[in-house]
């Protein structure tokens, strides 16, 4: 049992697109300094959840608190406390990495923009590319610039939507190392939507499983691996949960 206060807490959070119930009474807590992996099949409602938590969408009903603020009533305060890397991050391809980061940093009201960009790129071990145009970057490099942008204003919580999607194994490994360092060294709480169970096992400290808009499982990774001792892999655990919840 975690005695900290949750930094993300939803109560009866629901969302419908017309008559389709994408999220159904989600009660979820994520605690400070966790790396939370949010798993679920295609269309389970993971992006809908992240869009509500990052204030991009309002829920049909229920509430979501992020860093102590209500995502609907206090959306500006929430935005100051969070960084977000969407699945398909968009940049100005004909501007350099530095110009892109500088543009977004100024929009977020970051002080000493040049110094802060240097600090962030140093942390991400990504110096020397500042003056290349984004259009020349690989998917992995774009993801790293996306993370740089997301942490520029020193948020407390970082949201990542399918961060490893489309990356090669080396890109996945580098991104995993960055996520773990952000958590351990910068003390960020991380909320990560993912399909990749192998990534959850290597990166996350706790997991939740969403199935057709309902949370069907949530626990720490350690407890999960203890609870299913006969299972050979996290993948089998997940498949069993999915089968149970749909049968
Ligand atoms: P994926 O892993 O494929 O990205 P997801 O778990 O992120 O899926 P969501 O994108 O949240 O799922 O979508 C949940 C459900 O809501 C899906 O059935 C999807 O088709 C539907 N949906 C999402 N956005 C809209 C929209 N703007 N209008 C109508 N239906 C939508």
């Amino acid at each position: 049992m975690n005695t900290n206060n949750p930094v993300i807490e939803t109560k009866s959070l629901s969302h419908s697109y017309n008559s389709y119930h994408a999220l159904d009474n989600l009660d979820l807590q994520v605690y400070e300094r966790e790396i939370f992996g949010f798993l679920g099949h295609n269309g389970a409602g993971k992006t809908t959840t992240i869009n509500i938590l990052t204030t991009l969408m309002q829920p049909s009903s229920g509430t979501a608190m992020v860093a102590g603020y209500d995502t609907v009533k206090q959306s500006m305060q929430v935005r100051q406390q969070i960084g977000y890397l969407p699945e398909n991050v968009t940049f100005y391809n004909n501007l350099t990495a530095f110009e892109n980061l500088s543009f977004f940093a100024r929009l977020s009201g970051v002080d000493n923009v040049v110094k802060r960009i240097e600090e962030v790129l140093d942390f991400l071990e990504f110096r020397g590319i500042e003056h290349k145009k984004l259009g020349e970057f690989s998917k992995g490099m774009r993801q790293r610039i996306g993370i740089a942008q997301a942490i520029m204003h020193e948020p407390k919580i970082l949201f990542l939507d399918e961060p490893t999607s489309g990356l090669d194994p080396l890109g996945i490994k580098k991104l995993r190392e960055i996520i773990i360092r952000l958590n351990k060294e910068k003390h960020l709480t991380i909320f990560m939507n993912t399909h990749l169970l192998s990534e959850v096992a290597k990166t996350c400290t706790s997991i939740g499983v969403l199935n057709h808009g309902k949370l069907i499982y949530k626990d720490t990774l350690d407890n999960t691996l203890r609870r299913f001792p006969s299972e050979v892999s996290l993948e089998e655990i997940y498949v069993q949960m999915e089968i149970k919840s749909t049968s």
Side-chain angles (χ1 to χ4, degrees), residues 38-92:
F38 205 30
L39 287 162
H41 58 82
N42 285 122
K46 304 180 299 294
T47 299
T48 301
T49 307
I50 237 177
N51 282 344
I52 294 171
L53 295 176
T54 54
T55 78
L56 296 175
M57 268 173 43
Q58 294 199 2
S60 304
S61 61
T63 56
M65 301 292 288
V66 172
Y69 298 105
D70 184 291
T71 56
V72 175
K73 295 182 191 140
Q74 297 166 300
S75 58
M76 284 306 291
Q77 289 92 327
V78 171
R79 281 180 216 163
Q80 283 161 8
Q81 307 290 329
I82 65 168
Y84 178 35
L85 178 68
E87 186 170 356
N88 293 306
V89 59
T90 45
F91 289 111
Y92 296 104

Side-chain angles (χ1 to χ4, degrees), residues 38-245:
F38 205 30
L39 287 162
H41 58 82
N42 285 122
K46 304 180 299 294
T47 299
T48 301
T49 307
I50 237 177
N51 282 344
I52 294 171
L53 295 176
T54 54
T55 78
L56 296 175
M57 268 173 43
Q58 294 199 2
S60 304
S61 61
T63 56
M65 301 292 288
V66 172
Y69 298 105
D70 184 291
T71 56
V72 175
K73 295 182 191 140
Q74 297 166 300
S75 58
M76 284 306 291
Q77 289 92 327
V78 171
R79 281 180 216 163
Q80 283 161 8
Q81 307 290 329
I82 65 168
Y84 178 35
L85 178 68
E87 186 170 356
N88 293 306
V89 59
T90 45
F91 289 111
Y92 296 104
N93 285 333
N94 55 348
L95 298 185
T96 65
F98 182 85
E99 288 164 342
N100 270 284
L101 290 175
S102 168
F103 175 74
F104 290 111
R106 283 176 219 281
L107 277 185
S108 313
V110 170
D111 292 329
N112 291 323
V113 167
V114 174
K115 184 167 167 278
R116 180 68 187 143
I117 291 175
E118 286 172 357
E119 263 172 25
V120 169
L121 291 179
D122 274 340
F123 179 80
L124 297 176
E125 297 170 352
F126 209 33
R127 286 299 290 278
I129 47 74
E130 297 91 310
H131 302 296
K132 282 195 175 158
K133 290 194 173 167
L134 252 292
E136 297 167 23
F137 278 28
S138 68
K139 169 102 187 180
M141 291 165 81
R142 291 173 78 86
Q143 286 295 77
R144 259 203 276 180
I145 292 295
I147 294 207
Q149 181 198 316
I151 63 171
M152 197 59 69
H153 58 298
E154 300 186 73
K156 291 199 174 82
I157 306 168
L158 181 62
F159 290 90
L160 307 166
D161 196 359
E162 304 282 357
T164 52
S165 149
L167 297 187
D168 62 27
L170 191 61
I172 292 177
K173 184 169 181 291
K174 277 193 182 148
L175 195 72
R176 182 193 313 139
E177 287 164 1
I178 288 171
I179 292 169
I180 292 172
R181 283 184 57 223
L182 283 169
N183 175 256
K184 289 215 175 347
E185 296 172 28
K186 301 290 178 192
H187 306 158
L188 262 77
T189 303
I190 314 264
F191 185 109
M192 178 168 123
N193 280 356
T194 181
H195 281 115
L196 291 185
L197 288 152
S198 54
E199 272 322 293
V200 171
K202 286 182 186 136
T203 315
C204 296
T205 57
S206 64
I207 67 170
V209 179
L210 198 63
N211 183 290
H212 296 291
K214 285 184 195 291
L215 188 70
I216 58 166
Y217 183 83
K218 165 135 190 321
D219 208 337
T220 63
L221 184 70
D222 288 348
N223 284 347
T224 304
L225 296 173
R226 264 196 295 271
R227 183 168 299 138
F228 297 91
S230 62
E231 302 300 332
V232 290
S233 72
L234 195 60
E235 185 174 59
E236 287 185 27
I237 296 169
Y238 175 70
V239 169
Q240 279 208 356
M241 280 180 210
E242 289 272 335
I243 292 170
K244 248 191 227 161
S245 68

